[in-house]
Amino acid sequence: MNIIVCKNYDEMSLRSAEIMAEVIKGKPACVLGMATGSTPIGLYRNLIRMNKAGEISFKDVTTVNLDEYYPIAPTNDQSYRYFMNEQLFDHVDIDKAKTSVPDGTAADPEAECRRYEEMISLLGGIDVQILGIGRNGHIGFNEPDAKLILDTHVTDLTASTIEANSRFFASEADVPRRALTMGIGSIFKARKIILMVSGAEKKAAVSALLSRTLDTNFPLTMLNLHPDVTLVCTADVLD
Ligand code: PGA
C-alpha cells in the first residue's frame, strides 16, 4: 500500500485530486468511482477548480457512486444523488446521463442492486475509486459484521453510522435505516483505489488496516488484498 501523509485536510484533498486528475488526463473516457461524506468535499472542490482552469475535462467521463440511502428521493437534500450534483456534477462539464448513484426510490431494491452490479461489470470496472471510511472502518456502507458481502446489496445501517450521520439530518429518527451499497467485490472491480482519511477519530480503523490482518469487524482491512491502494491521510490519523 502506498501511503501519503499530509499535514492537513487541504493537502489531503489536493494530493487526492492530483492523482485523480492524472487518471482523467491519461484516459479521458475513464470510469470514476465516487464517494460522499465530508471527506471528499475538498477533493471535489479541487476537481472543479481544475476543470474550470481547463486542466481536466469530464466530457467523456462516466461515474459510479458507492452507495445511497434507502429509501430516499434524489430531491431530498440528504440523498447522495443530491450531494453529488451539489458538490461536483453541477459545476463541471460532465454529462449527467453518464453518472450513476444507486436508486434510493427503486420499488425492488434487490433488483436495483443486481442492475447496479451488472452495470459496473458492463462498464469494464472502475479506473479509480475514491473511498472514505467510517469511524467503525466501514467502506461504502459495508458495515462491520461476521460476513462481508461481495456484490452490491441492501444493508441495514449500524447504530454507530446512524448516529454519525445524524449530524446532517434534522434528527436521528430521520436517518434512513437502510442503504444500497457496492459490496467488497464491487469495490475490488476498481483497478486503483484512493483511500482518504482525516481526523483522529478514525485512528483505530486505520491502525486495523495497517496491522495487515483481515478483520470483518473492520471492513477496510479487506483493502490489504487489493494490488493498488493509496492511503492519503492526515498525520493525526497515524499518531
Ligand atoms: P465522512 O464519512 O467522510 O463524513 O467522515 C465517511 C464514511 O462514513 O464513509
Side-chain angles (χ1 to χ4, degrees):
M1 185 172 325
N2 308 313
I3 304 180
I4 300 176
V5 184
C6 303
K7 55 182 186 300
N8 54 32
Y9 177 87
D10 286 346
E11 188 187 344
M12 176 190 73
S13 303
L14 180 60
R15 296 296 295 273
S16 304
E18 285 168 351
I19 299 170
M20 272 197 118
E22 283 312 306
V23 172
I24 298 168
K25 285 180 201 164
K27 185 177 175 187
C30 60
V31 179
L32 302 180
M34 300 305 204
T36 53
S38 37
T39 304
I41 290 177
L43 156 71
Y44 295 150
R45 282 204 194 110
N46 278 289
L47 293 179
I48 293 167
R49 177 182 52 75
M50 291 170 177
N51 182 240
K52 289 198 187 307
E55 292 165 28
I56 54 171
S57 172
F58 290 85
K59 197 167 51 71
D60 299 318
V61 165
T62 299
T63 68
V64 291
N65 260 77
L66 277 174
D67 49 13
E68 178 60 285
Y69 289 116
Y70 187 83
I72 202 160
T75 48
N76 183 316
D77 64 4
Q78 291 311 321
S79 76
Y80 289 165
R81 161 52 75 182
Y82 191 99
F83 175 102
M84 288 309 302
N85 288 345
E86 194 170 64
Q87 298 297 335
L88 181 65
F89 299 153
D90 284 345
H91 311 288
V92 295
D93 61 344
I94 201 161
D95 174 1
K96 275 208 198 141
K98 290 201 208 135
T99 68
S100 289
V101 180
D103 180 3
T105 67
D108 180 344
E110 272 85 17
E112 167 61 5
C113 290
R114 285 193 297 277
R115 180 196 71 81
Y116 206 78
E117 190 67 38
E118 175 79 3
M119 177 199 68
I120 296 168
S121 295
L122 289 173
L123 286 172
I126 299 164
D127 289 294
V128 57
Q129 173 70 53
I130 295 295
L131 289 180
I133 60 168
R135 289 178 300 187
N136 63 4
H138 73 197
I139 47 177
F141 276 127
N142 293 274
E143 299 278 32
D145 207 338
K147 287 183 189 172
L148 298 175
I149 298 174
L150 288 174
D151 295 338
T152 304
H153 59 281
V154 185
T155 187
D156 294 321
L157 302 189
T158 58
S160 144
T161 298
I162 292 168
E163 192 252 302
N165 291 9
S166 66
R167 67 190 196 275
F168 302 115
F169 289 82
S171 78
E172 199 167 304
D174 292 326
V175 184
R177 267 35 188 176
R178 291 196 291 165
L180 312 179
T181 183
M182 282 191 200
I184 302 294
S186 339
I187 292 170
F188 270 59
K189 286 178 180 164
R191 287 176 275 283
K192 182 178 193 63
I193 293 176
I194 302 173
L195 179 63
M196 300 177 69
V197 188
S198 77
E201 70 280 7
K202 294 182 178 169
K203 262 163 80 166
V206 171
S207 151
L209 172 72
L210 298 180
S211 72
R212 294 187 50 75
T213 51
L214 302 177
D215 181 352
T216 60
N217 286 310
F218 282 105
L220 86 163
T221 61
M222 298 302 139
L223 297 174
N224 279 304
L225 294 173
H226 192 282
D228 188 352
V229 177
T230 301
L231 169 64
V232 189
C233 65
T234 52
D236 56 349
V237 167
L238 301 175
D239 285 347

